[in-house]
Amino acid sequence: MLKRFGVKGVKVREIVSLDEEILGFIPRPIYGVIFLFKWREDDPINQERSCPNSVWFANQTVGNACASIALLNIVNNIPNCDLGDHLQSFKDFTTSFTPALRGNAIGNFEFIRQIHNSFARKMDMLNGDLLMKNDVEAARKRSKKPAHNDQGDAAFHFVAFIPVDGTLWKLDGLERQPHSLGNIESDDWLNLVKPDLEARMAAYEDGQIEFAILGLVKDPLINLVQDLASNIKSIQALEAHLDKKGTDWRASTANTGIEIEGIPESTLLGPDMQFQIDKTAIESANLSPEVQHMLSTGCTSATDISDFRRKLALDQTRLRMAIKEEQALDYHDEDRAAARLHDYGPAVKTWTEFLARKGILGELLDPK
């Protein structure tokens, strides 16, 4: 959905556990966290009286849109985030709006509405209508009941957590204002949000896993591609330096079916669009600090330069593997999105009607 919004450089990663070891595998920086759970409103006294100017926050004023609202409440607060033309214009237009007006603007923004609805199956919309109906009926009956009552059919909801200007905020589109969770004293703001998430998870009974945690992170491909471009440029610079020294280093290195001139045959020495590396990327890349030192001193031996060149080639192998893994994850996400965009409801309905006409459906529903 973010990609279709036009947002670049941000990816969504599932956080399967809040343990430190597991969190260590999540790419950094983590821009924000989305928590999916059975919604129950927090005490309104914890909310701010008004939305701070530094926080972009929108209320959810349309049904079945909490996921889109949570995403927008995070990406619109990421400093220097490439939102794309549509979202950037929308953010600029709504900067002075109240949270409620921003929510209304989202509901009236055709660009967002079309993308959101493309991911919503007909069954999702029917469930949304049913929940709305239940909410209306409940509102008519609870005038003399407590405001907070546990309901077995409570709707699932997405809530965003994000650091903004040294403060950790909970941004819940169903609440009128943001909720400050405290000041951030270090870059690892997750330690501040963990108690809130763990308290919500502890409310579930043993064996119930009715929640999920998603992290919005910087796309790892950005740094990986930059590192690969730097690696290629560094190898090129070392080879050019060896040529200037006038040593016959190319002839002295082994040429086999596996290695060419002392480095793996698969080593990239120039642009390769398979890894998103073009000539401009290499030219704009920085040399590694070690290579800069070697070239600036001019007293490094040819043997040491050749050895470091080989080390760079081995490092490049790991970089290319990491890029391919990230690209495979991208392809997997695209496949899942394509499946999500396809509505299987009509096919299921037709097949169910066919089973009913054949008299098989009753037997399947009641095997006795």
Side-chain angles (χ1 to χ4, degrees):
M1 187 178 289
L2 283 178
K3 185 178 291 186
R4 285 164 174 77
F5 280 156
V7 178
K8 297 179 181 178
V10 180
K11 270 192 172 181
V12 178
R13 288 290 174 85
E14 183 177 8
I15 300 177
V16 297
S17 172
L18 294 176
D19 293 338
E20 290 295 334
E21 292 184 2
I22 301 300
L23 290 175
F25 290 98
I26 305 300
R28 295 304 196 270
I30 300 177
Y31 296 128
V33 167
I34 294 177
F35 186 59
L36 170 64
F37 68 112
K38 279 191 174 182
W39 186 78
R40 178 176 177 177
E41 185 181 14
D42 287 341
D43 192 336
I45 198 174
N46 293 325
Q47 301 173 27
E48 300 296 303
R49 292 189 176 182
S50 62
C51 183
N53 293 331
S54 60
V55 178
W56 194 99
F57 171 64
N59 293 142
Q60 180 183 339
T61 60
V62 294
N64 200 32
C66 54
S68 296
I69 296 295
L71 288 174
L72 293 173
N73 278 337
I74 289 182
V75 297
N76 281 318
N77 284 295
I78 299 175
N80 304 316
C81 181
D82 187 349
L83 298 174
D85 293 339
H86 293 286
L87 279 191
Q88 186 61 57
S89 297
F90 179 77
K91 178 182 177 180
D92 295 340
F93 176 69
T94 58
T95 296
S96 61
F97 286 18
T98 65
L101 287 177
R102 287 182 186 140
N104 289 334
I106 291 173
N108 293 323
F109 191 14
E110 186 65 21
F111 173 74
I112 293 178
R113 187 166 65 240
Q114 285 184 355
I115 294 173
H116 171 82
N117 289 340
S118 69
F119 282 89
R121 301 187 181 103
K122 184 176 181 180
M123 185 57 67
D124 297 328
M125 297 180 183
L126 292 175
N127 286 338
D129 292 341
L130 179 60
L131 284 173
M132 187 178 297
K133 176 186 175 185
N134 292 339
D135 289 343
V136 172
E137 293 178 350
R140 293 171 178 170
K141 298 177 181 178
R142 69 181 177 217
S143 57
K144 297 183 180 180
K145 294 182 180 180
H148 298 294
N149 58 323
D150 294 327
Q151 297 179 1
D153 59 347
F156 284 93
H157 182 58
F158 293 85
V159 173
F161 298 84
I162 184 171
V164 180
D165 290 344
T167 301
L168 178 62
W169 295 94
K170 187 191 78 168
L171 305 180
D172 184 344
L174 293 182
E175 296 178 351
R176 295 181 64 251
Q177 302 294 345
H179 175 193
S180 171
L181 298 181
N183 296 326
I184 303 171
E185 299 180 356
S186 66
D187 293 335
D188 192 8
W189 57 271
L190 286 179
N191 288 327
L192 193 58
V193 76
K194 281 173 63 175
D196 188 281
L197 296 180
E198 288 171 345
R200 294 174 187 272
M201 291 186 290
Y204 292 98
E205 298 178 2
D206 292 340
Q208 284 187 321
I209 305 179
E210 297 181 321
F211 55 84
I213 307 174
L214 305 174
L216 269 68
V217 304
K218 180 178 180 179
D219 187 348
L221 271 177
I222 296 175
N223 288 341
L224 288 172
V225 171
Q226 290 175 349
D227 290 344
L228 180 57
S230 175
N231 177 281
I232 294 172
K233 186 172 184 176
S234 296
I235 294 176
Q236 290 177 342
L238 291 181
E239 292 185 350
H241 188 68
L242 286 171
D243 289 336
K244 286 182 180 180
K245 278 182 171 288
T247 58
D248 194 13
W249 65 274
R250 295 183 186 274
S252 64
T253 52
N255 290 333
T256 67
I258 300 176
E259 293 189 348
I260 300 296
E261 297 175 346
I263 59 177
E265 185 178 9
S266 60
T267 302
L268 298 182
L269 301 176
D272 190 325
M273 293 310 298
Q274 179 184 354
F275 296 96
Q276 303 178 20
I277 299 292
D278 56 17
K279 184 178 179 181
T280 301
I282 297 175
E283 291 176 348
S284 60
N286 296 319
L287 295 174
S288 70
E290 297 88 349
V291 172
Q292 291 182 35
H293 177 73
M294 287 181 178
L295 299 182
S296 63
T297 59
C299 58
T300 308
S301 68
T303 300
D304 289 342
I305 293 177
S306 295
D307 289 343
F308 194 75
R309 169 178 169 270
R310 178 175 177 80
K311 177 184 179 302
L312 287 175
L314 296 176
D315 290 342
Q316 187 189 117
T317 300
R318 290 188 286 271
L319 280 172
R320 286 187 280 112
M321 288 180 60
I323 290 176
K324 287 184 176 179
E325 289 176 359
E326 287 298 325
Q327 290 175 335
L329 288 174
D330 281 348
Y331 297 147
H332 177 66
D333 289 342
E334 288 290 343
D335 289 342
R336 292 181 61 184
R340 178 74 188 181
L341 291 172
H342 184 77
D343 186 5
Y344 296 93
V348 174
K349 179 175 180 292
T350 300
W351 183 246
T352 303
E353 291 174 346
F354 174 79
L355 293 175
R357 289 196 301 270
K358 293 292 185 178
I360 302 175
L361 185 60
E363 298 176 4
L364 295 175
L365 296 176
D366 187 8
K368 296 180 180 180

